[in-house]
C-alpha cells in the first residue's frame, strides 16, 4: 500500500513533465501535417480561423457544465483582458507563425521557437515573476540553461554543417513549395510571433488569478481568437474558394489542430502554467526541435544537418539545467512551507502552557 501511495505521489509530482512532453509531441506532428496542407492550397489565415472555431466548439460543453460554480462573473475589464490574451496567444501570433511556416520549413520553425523560453525568462525577471540569485547554484543553473538554449537555437539557425543523407525508403515525402524561398519575410514573421507568444505565457499568470476557470478560459481564447482571425482574413479579401474545405489533407489538418492543439493542448498548457509557471512550460520547446528532426529524417526523408543535431543537443542540455534550477526553487518553497507550524501545532504549546498555569494555580490554592 505504501509503495502504491509513493508511486501515485511521484506520478502527480511529475505530471506536468509528462503532459508537456505530450504537448511537444503533438506539435511535432502538427508541423508536417500543416506544411502538407499548405502545399495543397490551404490558406494559413483560413486555417487559423477554422481550427479555433472547432476547438472552441469542442471545449464549450465541458466548460459550461463542469465550471458552472467556479467561473467568475464576466465584466468589461475582464473581457478586454481575455481579448488581449486571445490576440497574443491565438489570432495575431498564430497568423504570423503559420504564415512563416508557409515561407520557410518545419525544421527552421522549431529551431527559431527555441528562443521563446529565453524571452519568457527575461520577461519574467523584468516583471519579478522569476527571482535569480547569481550566488545560488539554482540561479546559476537557470541562467546557464537559458543561455545554452539560446545558443542551441542560434546554432540550429545559422550553422548548417555537412549533410546526413536522407532515407530513400522513408514512408512519406513532402514536396517543397516554391514560396518557401522567402526566408527573410518568414524569419521576420516568426521572430514577431516568438515575442507575442512569450508575452502570452507571461500574461497567463495574471489572467489565471482573476479567471481561474481553465476550461472556460480555453473556450474564450478559442472563440475570441477565431473571431479576430476571421476579421483579419476578411480584410485580406480572399476569394470564396479559399474557405472551401474538402475531405482531404486540408480537412485532416484542421480537425487535428482544432481537437488536439486548440482544445486539449491549450487546456494542458494553462493547467501547467498555473502549477509550474510560464518559464517551466516554455522550456519544453526544444523537445519539439529534436522530435521534428527525427520525424523529418526517418518518416519524411528530409536531409539532416550536423548543425541540427549539435544545436538540438545543446538546447536539450540547457533545458534540463533550467528545469534543475526550477526544481530546486520548488523544493526550497516546500521546505519553507513545512518549517512553519500548522494551526494544530501552534495550539499544542498554548494548551500545554494553559495546563501548566492551571496546575500552578491549583498548587497555590492547596498551599493556602
Amino acid at each position: 500500500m505504501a509503495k502504491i501511495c509513493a508511486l501515485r505521489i511521484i506520478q502527480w509530482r511529475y505530471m506536468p513533465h509528462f503532459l508537456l512532453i505530450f504537448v511537444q509531441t503533438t506539435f511535432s506532428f502538427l508541423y508536417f501535417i500543416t506544411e502538407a496542407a499548405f502545399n495543397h492550397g490551404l490558406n494559413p489565415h483560413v486555417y487559423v480561423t477554422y481550427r479555433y472555431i472547432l476547438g472552441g466548439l469542442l471545449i464549450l460543453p465541458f466548460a459550461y457544465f463542469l465550471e458552472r460554480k467556479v467561473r467568475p462573473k464576466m465584466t468589461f475589464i475582464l473581457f478586454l483582458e481575455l481579448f488581449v490574451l486571445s490576440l497574443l496567444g491565438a489570432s495575431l501570433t498564430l497568423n504570423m507563425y503559420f504564415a512563416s511556416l508557409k515561407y520557410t520549413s518545419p525544421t527552421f520553425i522549431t529551431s527559431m521557437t527555441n528562443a521563446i523560453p529565453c524571452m519568457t525568462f527575461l520577461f519574467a525577471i523584468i516583471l519579478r515573476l522569476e527571482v535569480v540569485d547569481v550566488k545560488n547554484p539554482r540561479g546559476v543553473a537557470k541562467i546557464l540553461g537559458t543561455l545554452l538554449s539560446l545558443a542551441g537555437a542560434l546554432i540550429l539557425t545559422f550553422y548548417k554543417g555537412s549533410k546526413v543523407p536522407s532515407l530513400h525508403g522513408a514512408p512519406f515525402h513532402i514536396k517543397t513549395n516554391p514560396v518557401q524561398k522567402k526566408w527573410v519575410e518568414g524569419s521576420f514573421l516568426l521572430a514577431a510571433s516568438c515575442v507575442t507568444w512569450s508575452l502570452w505565457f507571461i500574461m497567463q499568470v495574471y489572467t489565471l488569478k482573476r479567471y481561474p476557470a481553465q476550461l472556460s478560459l480555453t473556450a474564450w481564447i478559442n472563440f475570441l481568437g477565431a473571431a479576430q482571425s476571421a476579421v483579419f482574413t476578411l480584410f485580406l479579401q480572399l476569394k470564396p474558394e479559399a474557405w472551401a474545405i474538402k475531405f482531404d489533407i486540408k480537412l485532416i489538418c484542421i480537425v487535428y489542430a482544432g481537437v488536439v492543439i486548440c482544445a486539449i493542448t491549450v487546456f494542458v498548457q494553462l493547467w501547467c502554467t498555473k502549477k509550474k509557471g510560464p518559464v517551466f512550460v516554455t522550456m519544453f520547446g526544444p523537445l519539439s526541435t529534436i522530435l521534428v528532426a527525427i520525424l523529418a529524417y526517418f518518416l519524411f526523408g528530409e536531409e539532416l544537418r550536423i548543425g541540427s543535431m549539435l544545436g538540438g543537443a545543446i538546447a536539450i542540455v540547457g533545458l534540463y539545467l533550467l528545469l534543475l534550477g526550477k526544481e530546486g526553487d520548488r523544493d526550497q518553497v516546500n521546505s519553507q512551507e513545512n518549517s512553519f507550524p500548522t494551526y494544530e501545532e501552534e495550539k499544542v504549546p498554548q494548551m500545554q502552557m494553559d495546563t501548566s498555569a492551571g496546575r500552578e494555580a491549583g498548587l497555590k490554592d492547596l498551599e493556602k
Side-chain angles (χ1 to χ4, degrees):
M1 187 66 180
K3 293 182 178 180
I4 297 177
C5 294
L7 182 60
R8 290 180 178 178
I9 292 174
I10 293 175
Q11 290 177 344
W12 180 253
R13 177 177 181 179
Y14 292 102
M15 182 61 67
H17 302 72
F18 299 141
L19 290 175
L20 291 174
I21 292 174
F22 163 77
V23 167
Q24 296 305 320
T25 304
T26 59
F27 278 145
S28 302
F29 285 101
L30 174 70
Y31 294 126
F32 295 100
I33 298 174
T34 304
E35 185 188 21
F38 287 169
N39 292 340
H40 282 77
L42 179 62
N43 183 274
H45 311 297
V46 173
Y47 163 63
V48 172
T49 304
Y50 277 151
R51 60 179 270 172
Y52 277 115
I53 292 175
L54 181 59
L57 291 175
L58 181 65
I59 206 71
L60 181 61
F62 298 96
Y64 180 78
F65 290 104
L66 297 179
E67 296 182 339
R68 197 179 303 178
K69 297 181 180 180
V70 299
R71 186 167 47 246
K73 183 179 179 181
M74 182 58 62
T75 62
F76 180 72
I77 300 299
L78 183 57
F79 178 79
L80 289 180
E81 184 174 349
L82 298 182
F83 185 88
V84 175
L85 183 68
S86 303
L87 187 68
L88 292 177
S91 59
L92 178 62
T93 299
L94 268 295
N95 274 285
M96 294 188 296
Y97 184 77
F98 286 110
S100 66
L101 176 61
K102 186 176 181 180
Y103 295 146
T104 56
S105 69
T107 306
F108 182 77
I109 288 286
T110 53
S111 64
M112 284 293 291
T113 51
N114 286 327
I116 293 178
C118 305
M119 296 180 183
T120 307
F121 185 62
L122 293 176
F123 287 138
I125 293 176
I126 294 173
L127 297 174
R128 297 182 180 181
L129 295 176
E130 288 284 338
V131 178
V132 178
D133 185 6
V134 295
K135 299 180 181 180
N136 194 299
R138 290 188 298 271
V140 175
K142 289 193 286 187
I143 295 175
L144 185 59
T146 302
L147 294 177
L148 284 177
S149 296
L150 180 59
L154 293 176
I155 291 174
L156 279 162
T157 304
F158 297 108
Y159 176 65
K160 300 296 183 181
S162 59
K163 296 181 180 179
V164 178
S166 61
L167 295 177
H168 298 287
F172 306 101
H173 289 275
I174 298 177
K175 296 181 180 179
T176 302
N177 196 323
V179 78
Q180 289 181 339
K181 296 180 181 179
K182 299 182 179 180
W183 288 90
V184 177
E185 293 88 341
S187 301
F188 176 79
L189 290 172
L190 183 57
S193 67
C194 288
V195 174
T196 55
W197 219 334
S198 301
L199 293 173
W200 181 61
F201 283 110
I202 293 296
M203 190 175 177
Q204 287 179 23
V205 178
Y206 300 98
T207 304
L208 285 169
K209 293 180 180 179
R210 288 183 283 270
Y211 201 90
Q214 298 166 19
L215 286 172
S216 301
L217 182 58
T218 305
W220 274 110
I221 291 174
N222 278 272
F223 283 122
L224 289 176
Q228 293 165 353
S229 181
V231 172
F232 176 75
T233 306
L234 292 175
F235 272 110
L236 296 178
Q237 297 180 353
L238 297 178
K239 296 180 180 180
E241 292 80 8
W243 295 90
I245 303 297
K246 299 179 181 180
F247 189 78
D248 53 10
I249 186 62
K250 294 187 287 185
L251 179 61
I252 295 174
C253 179
I254 292 173
V255 172
Y256 179 84
V259 175
V260 179
I261 306 300
C262 294
I264 299 176
T265 297
V266 171
F267 171 73
V268 169
Q269 286 182 323
L270 288 173
W271 185 84
C272 292
T273 299
K274 188 174 183 179
K275 295 292 182 181
K276 305 290 288 185
V279 176
F280 180 87
V281 174
T282 57
M283 280 308 298
F284 278 80
L287 289 178
S288 64
T289 303
I290 304 300
L291 294 174
V292 166
I294 294 174
L295 291 173
Y297 183 72
F298 288 101
L299 291 183
F300 299 99
E302 293 188 5
E303 294 178 342
L304 191 62
R305 300 273 187 166
I306 297 297
S308 300
M309 296 190 298
L310 178 62
I314 294 176
I316 291 298
V317 172
L319 162 68
Y320 285 112
L321 277 176
L322 184 53
L323 289 179
L324 182 63
K326 294 291 293 180
E327 285 296 313
D329 286 347
R330 191 185 68 168
D331 293 339
Q332 183 184 26
V333 171
N334 291 339
S335 63
Q336 289 177 353
E337 291 177 352
N338 294 332
S339 65
F340 290 104
T342 61
Y343 176 71
E344 296 296 332
E345 291 173 344
E346 290 179 347
K347 288 176 63 178
V348 171
Q350 183 67 32
M351 293 174 62
Q352 292 176 349
M353 186 183 303
D354 294 341
T355 303
S356 60
R359 289 177 179 175
E360 292 179 358
L363 290 174
K364 290 181 179 180
D365 291 340
L366 291 175
E367 291 177 354
K368 293 180 180 180

